Amino acid sequence: MENVLVVGAGMAGLQTVLGLRELGYAGRVALLGAERHRPYDRPPLSKDVLSGKTDDTTFDADWAALDVELLLGRPATGLRLRDRAEGGFVDTDAGPVEFDRLVIATGSRAINLPAAGDVHGVHVLRTIDDARALRTALVPGAHVVIVGAGWIGAEVATAATAAGCHTTVVEALSAPLAGALPAEIGARFTPWYAEAGVELLLGARVDRIEPGAVHLADGARLPADAIVVGIGVRPDTAWLAGSGVHLDGRGAVVVDGRLRTSAPGVYAVGDCTVFESARYATRLHVEHWDNALQAPRALAAHLLGEDAAYDPVPYFWSEQFGRMVQYVGHHPAGDDVVMRHGPEGTWTAGWFAGDALVALLTVARPRDLAQGRRLVQTGAAVDKAKFADAGVPMKSTVR
Ligand SMILES: Cc1cc2nc3c(=O)[nH]c(=O)nc-3n(C[C@H](O)[C@H](O)[C@H](O)COP(=O)(O)OP(=O)(O)OC[C@H]3O[C@@H](n4cnc5c(N)ncnc54)[C@H](O)[C@@H]3O)c2cc1C
């Protein structure tokens, strides 16, 4: 392996480069990024940047020591693979970049409402530039309307209300997070909005957006100095169209358990992938930070000759309305959910398949998460009655 090109200078791209160098790869490596910024961390954008705690989330990296060719502000526009050999060219407006091995790490882009992109005062939150622009709009007394009560919507609402804005969250489904969690679990998040002084409108559909207002399908008009659309993301892979690299229906790059795409010598990591999980006997599409940290490490080892599969137990966290929310595992629909209520509104939900604990959601219970994570990872049989008793340490709930 001589000449590695990593496309996408985010978390997964940077971790690929770090992993290769740490494992001793001494050949050429180039990192091509659409944004003009050096790789930076996204989770703090909706937390510390919006709250004004920091303005810069650039990752610490010794670029000189890494000896990486950094090609920033240069979006990939296409991929041409060689016919009968590995390698090829990634096209950019400033000319093609040649590679022997390619790692695709172009992540996700935020979805906007139809035609909303051109309306003044409408924001999405994916990049540091988005976060800085939105922060200037979060001024005391401003009316902020957030579309979508998902992870991002809740974190933006937290920052907006803390900044003194009149904050309204509009959600089409019957509970917050209903796209990610069963409605009865999502409903447990509902009171947090009112407690924080945020108006949450459930079952509310946006009809149209105009400068200064959001119109709902029921005729209501919500005045809005700023409108934030937090309705999800899509893999940022349009540049791969026609390249021969196989994408799924959502546009995610399909990779196997070794993070190999359908094209020889081409790999993919992070948000933009859907990967084969032997553990769960399915393909997983994970749009969370931990996956963008772990998958590149596994890929670097694989590229340098180790034959280990990437088969993680997914993990993520969110910080909303002063609470740390953490999730580990993977729960197929229909599994049993057992609740564990702690003091002061803390709780943990456990998903079971038979006696095995397969996933955990914790609210301000980091010890449950740390101990439960091991139980989820090993598929341990757990006593549900003990699990339901928050006085029993999680590690002592094993049968
Ligand atoms: C505001 C916010 C808060 C978050 N909070 C949390 C959290 O609390 N917990 C959690 O687990 N996860 C969180 N996430 C998700 C987490 O940040 C992502 O899972 C992670 O960033 C994925 O890393 P990635 O490198 O795969 O993709 P990205 O971070 O999206 O990086 C991809 C990079 O590729 C670049 N790119 C795209 N197209 C091209 C192209 N054609 N050519 C060249 N470059 C291109 C993009 O500009 C980008 O820099 C949050 C995300 C956001 C936006």
Side-chain angles (χ1 to χ4, degrees):
M1 183 169 76
E2 275 302 307
N3 178 6
V4 180
L5 173 62
V6 180
V7 180
M11 174 72 173
L14 172 63
Q15 292 299 333
T16 303
V17 167
L18 290 173
L20 285 170
R21 288 296 189 231
E22 278 168 21
L23 293 176
Y25 170 66
R28 175 186 183 239
V29 55
L31 181 60
L32 180 72
E35 296 173 70
R36 62 195 163 80
H37 307 288
R38 290 192 171 195
Y40 62 86
D41 208 10
R42 285 177 211 277
L45 300 182
S46 48
K47 305 165 182 82
D48 301 343
V49 174
L50 287 191
S51 70
K53 229 179 262 171
T54 183
D55 184 53
D56 185 1
T57 67
T58 311
F59 288 113
D60 263 343
D62 185 344
W63 291 102
L66 279 172
D67 189 20
V68 172
E69 206 175 316
L70 259 183
L71 306 168
L72 298 178
R74 228 176 124 175
T77 53
L79 167 64
R80 288 175 287 136
L81 297 168
R82 286 200 184 90
D83 246 357
R84 266 177 288 276
E86 287 186 356
F89 299 89
V90 165
D91 288 315
T92 74
D93 285 349
V97 186
E98 193 172 6
F99 63 85
D100 295 331
R101 300 286 169 104
L102 174 67
V103 179
I104 299 166
T106 46
S108 313
R109 65 185 164 76
I111 307 170
N112 210 334
L113 288 168
D118 298 330
V119 178
H120 179 72
V122 176
H123 300 257
V124 293
L125 178 54
R126 184 71 201 173
T127 67
I128 183 94
D129 295 334
D130 295 338
R132 288 172 180 158
L134 177 55
R135 190 186 53 204
T136 63
L138 301 184
V139 292
H143 287 87
V144 176
V145 176
I146 298 162
V147 182
W151 303 111
I152 294 288
E155 294 195 359
V156 173
T158 303
T161 190
C165 304
H166 301 290
T167 309
T168 303
V169 176
V170 177
E171 169 57 55
L173 300 174
S174 61
L177 296 165
L181 299 171
E184 68 272 19
I185 299 291
R188 293 175 180 275
F189 292 71
T190 302
W192 299 1
Y193 288 76
E195 283 163 23
V198 174
E199 186 180 20
L200 173 63
L201 304 177
L202 294 171
R205 292 199 162 269
V206 172
D207 176 47
R208 70 198 156 83
I209 280 178
E210 65 182 21
V214 173
H215 292 263
L216 301 183
D218 67 3
R221 178 184 183 277
L222 308 175
D225 301 302
I227 299 164
V228 186
V229 180
I231 56 173
V233 294
R234 283 282 174 278
D236 210 345
T237 55
W239 65 281
L240 292 167
S243 67
V245 170
H246 183 205
L247 308 179
D248 75 357
R250 291 183 74 234
V253 181
V254 178
V255 292
D256 66 9
R258 305 284 190 289
L259 302 161
R260 295 176 290 213
T261 72
S262 57
V266 180
Y267 305 81
V269 284
D271 270 25
C272 68
T273 62
V274 56
F275 60 87
E276 203 66 58
S277 165
R279 183 190 295 275
Y280 298 114
T282 187
R283 279 183 183 160
L284 291 183
H285 179 64
V286 179
E287 291 160 339
H288 299 298
W289 190 91
D290 192 58
N291 178 54
L293 171 70
Q294 308 292 347
R297 298 306 176 124
L299 174 60
H302 173 74
L303 288 173
L304 295 170
E306 199 181 291
D307 188 34
Y310 176 61
D311 202 2
V313 173
Y315 164 78
F316 68 87
W317 82 97
S318 168
E319 294 162 42
Q320 36 184 288
F321 307 113
R323 296 164 176 92
M324 175 61 104
V325 179
Q326 291 169 288
Y327 178 96
V328 66
H330 173 67
H331 66 271
D335 279 358
D336 247 0
V337 183
V338 179
M339 294 303 300
R340 176 175 162 92
H341 292 283
E344 292 163 27
T346 67
W347 51 267
T348 291
W351 280 262
F352 287 82
D355 285 339
L357 183 64
V358 295
L360 269 185
L361 178 74
T362 65
V363 173
R365 293 186 65 81
R367 200 165 289 168
D368 275 5
L369 194 281
Q371 296 180 8
R373 190 173 194 165
R374 253 177 244 138
L375 304 185
V376 172
Q377 271 161 351
T378 55
V382 162
D383 182 315
K384 290 180 191 167
K386 286 188 184 160
F387 181 92
D389 180 351
V392 178
M394 186 65 87
K395 61 184 177 199
S396 308
T397 61
V398 178
R399 270 186 193 280

